[in-house]
Amino acid sequence: MKVDFLIAGAGFAGCTLAERIATQFDKKVLLVETRNHIGGNTYDYYNEDGLLIQKYGPHIFHSNLRDVWDYLCRFTEWNGYVHRVIAVVRGKEVSLPINLDTMERLYERKFTSEELEKYFEQHRVKLDRIRNSRDVVVSQVGEELYDLFFKNYTKKQWGIYPDELDPEVTKRLPVRFNRDTRYFTDRYQGIPKHGFTRMFERMIDNKNIHLLLKTDYREIIDSVDYNKLIYTGPIDYYFDYMFGELPYRSLDFKFETLDMEKYQNAGVVNYPNDYNYTRITEFKHFYFQQHHKTTICYEYPMAEGDPYYPIPKPECREIYQKYKKEADKLRSVYFIGRLAQYKYLNMDQVVAGALKLFEELI
């Protein structure tokens, strides 16, 4: 087979670049995916009961990038879903991120915005330097809220406590002095009206794109005549682990379909301190689906399994930098995406990176 571009991986990065190259360049693309579906970890599908669910846990698109939003709007309408998260602490359901409503329910007293700011100022730990994820949290809200919301949740999620993790892990978690219970405040957010998978199908519906599922790119690379390779898989795998394996945190998902219309009061409910799982997702909240049953998903972090989260520790970044140095030497291979860049990237960041790479290819 002769193509202009061989793309390994049919997630956000791979499909975006395949679409752009096929449409704007009018070039031939071979899109190769090891899984039996497109869409990466945002893959959604109808289960045997007819409920639309996400196979790899909750994914909600959110962004402030107008160009990324406009680009994806070519392939989908959005359903208007606004993400809200509940945490169960001390037997109470409270909203995350921490806000006025959270504090009032937790402490059973009223707060004004000014009183809450004063409360945090009195309880926060004043530090000269932020060294880790624990420091980020206690310097904002103090020890008690750190223990209630972050310490044990982080231990379950990462297998280590926050004082062993880079500050970037918890800097994504804001504190609010108002009653805004939205998890994301981005201008653009939602879920594709007919699901992520349908959006990806429309993206790669092009005569110039040939898709191969359940195929490792290594299985076919010697039989394909191509000019350039775009690689979105694990960068250490590409280089045969020459500097050792990059560690990841994995997840195990346990699905359960219940004979009831609704199970919980939000799409995602976190359990920072109880049980072995970190959260329960109920997908009907995402898709506004009317059905007499509902499917929920328990999420169990694990050390082994499919790579989901790059481990944010200095020694891991050092290993990655060795691989990146090798990658930078290659003239016709491009590395993009969370696994190829060994970095936690939101969906919009991956699309933005793919669009930028496309401009560079032009």
Side-chain angles (χ1 to χ4, degrees):
M1 175 182 287
K2 180 175 176 57
V3 296
D4 299 289
F5 286 83
L6 172 60
I7 300 180
F12 263 106
C15 287
T16 298
L17 281 158
E19 186 279 328
R20 289 287 77 197
I21 291 167
T23 303
Q24 295 296 102
F25 272 179
D26 194 27
K27 299 289 187 180
K28 300 293 184 183
V29 176
L30 176 59
L31 184 61
V32 182
E33 170 58 54
T34 56
R35 288 170 167 170
N36 64 355
H37 60 76
I38 60 175
N41 289 344
T42 62
Y43 172 70
D44 48 16
Y45 67 100
Y46 288 93
N47 66 11
E48 59 186 12
D49 291 291
L51 288 158
L52 185 54
I53 65 173
Q54 297 181 354
K55 184 173 182 177
Y56 305 100
H59 288 82
I60 298 90
F61 184 85
H62 59 99
S63 181
N64 285 315
L65 302 175
R66 178 63 183 269
D67 58 334
V68 170
W69 178 258
D70 287 346
Y71 171 72
L72 293 177
C73 283
R74 303 178 189 183
F75 312 104
T76 187
E77 298 177 57
W78 301 87
N79 68 3
Y81 172 76
V82 176
H83 194 41
R84 289 180 169 85
V85 174
I86 289 172
V88 177
V89 294
R90 292 179 177 170
K92 298 177 179 179
E93 290 190 352
V94 297
S95 62
L96 281 179
I98 295 171
N99 58 67
L100 278 173
D101 286 350
T102 309
M103 296 296 287
E104 289 182 350
R105 181 155 179 76
L106 189 61
Y107 291 104
E108 297 181 348
R109 54 158 287 193
K110 291 290 185 181
F111 284 93
T112 63
S113 297
E114 293 75 19
E115 288 170 340
L116 186 56
E117 288 191 52
K118 185 177 180 181
Y119 179 92
F120 286 146
E121 182 59 32
Q122 290 172 342
H123 288 80
R124 75 183 187 88
V125 179
K126 298 172 178 62
L127 301 171
D128 294 330
R129 184 165 62 94
I130 301 297
R131 298 159 300 178
N132 52 54
S133 285
R134 178 188 178 277
D135 289 352
V136 172
V137 179
V138 299
S139 67
Q140 291 184 65
V141 300
E143 297 277 5
E144 183 177 24
L145 292 174
Y146 164 76
D147 287 341
L148 282 175
F149 288 97
F150 300 100
K151 180 180 178 180
N152 296 321
Y153 188 92
T154 303
K155 178 63 166 63
K156 285 195 286 185
Q157 180 70 21
W158 294 101
I160 51 180
Y161 285 110
D163 56 7
E164 300 177 70
L165 286 170
D166 285 357
E168 67 185 62
V169 176
T170 48
K171 75 178 182 181
R172 297 160 54 89
L173 303 168
V175 174
R176 299 188 185 134
F177 301 101
N178 55 27
R179 299 188 187 279
D180 187 353
T181 60
R182 295 175 300 164
Y183 196 75
F184 305 117
T185 57
D186 302 69
R187 181 177 180 183
Y188 310 107
Q189 56 181 294
I191 291 175
K193 188 174 181 179
H194 302 291
F196 281 102
T197 302
R198 181 63 187 130
M199 179 184 75
F200 283 108
E201 288 172 348
R202 295 186 66 184
M203 289 175 73
I204 63 172
D205 183 15
N206 188 300
K207 61 179 176 60
N208 285 334
I209 300 173
H210 182 72
L211 174 67
L212 278 180
L213 296 176
K214 296 188 289 186
T215 304
D216 188 317
Y217 85 102
R218 286 183 172 182
E219 298 171 9
I220 52 88
I221 194 166
D222 291 334
S223 60
V224 177
D225 183 3
Y226 65 95
N227 294 325
K228 295 180 179 181
L229 169 66
I230 295 172
Y231 181 78
T232 73
I235 191 170
D236 52 350
Y237 176 71
Y238 180 88
F239 289 105
D240 291 319
Y241 308 109
M242 62 189 296
F243 302 116
E245 286 193 46
L246 284 165
Y248 288 87
R249 196 66 175 159
S250 189
L251 297 169
D252 184 31
F253 304 101
K254 302 295 186 186
F255 293 87
E256 186 177 352
T257 298
L258 306 171
D259 196 12
M260 60 176 65
E261 289 196 4
K262 188 178 80 167
Y263 176 76
Q264 59 191 28
N265 293 320
V268 173
V269 177
N270 287 1
Y271 292 86
N273 307 304
D274 306 311
Y275 313 111
N276 292 328
Y277 49 83
T278 51
R279 57 187 178 180
I280 299 176
T281 300
E282 185 175 20
F283 300 100
K284 283 174 73 175
H285 292 269
F286 295 171
Y287 298 103
F288 307 112
Q289 193 175 359
Q290 301 299 313
H291 199 288
H292 65 281
K293 292 185 178 182
T294 189
T295 295
I296 60 175
C297 174
Y298 300 87
E299 199 165 310
Y300 297 86
M302 307 190 313
E304 303 295 329
D306 289 344
Y308 287 102
Y309 299 107
I311 304 294
K313 296 178 69 175
E315 53 266 38
C316 302
R317 284 200 306 276
E318 288 176 12
I319 298 173
Y320 165 70
Q321 287 300 326
K322 294 179 181 179
Y323 283 115
K324 185 177 186 303
K325 189 175 180 180
E326 293 298 313
D328 290 342
K329 298 175 183 177
L330 304 177
R331 302 181 65 85
S332 298
V333 184
Y334 305 88
F335 296 81
I336 187 166
R338 183 185 293 189
L339 300 179
Q341 295 174 260
Y342 196 68
K343 184 177 182 181
Y344 186 92
L345 298 169
N346 289 328
M347 291 177 264
D348 67 325
Q349 294 174 304
V350 176
V351 176
L355 294 176
K356 181 182 177 182
L357 175 56
F358 173 70
E359 293 298 324
E360 292 172 3
L361 292 172
I362 292 179

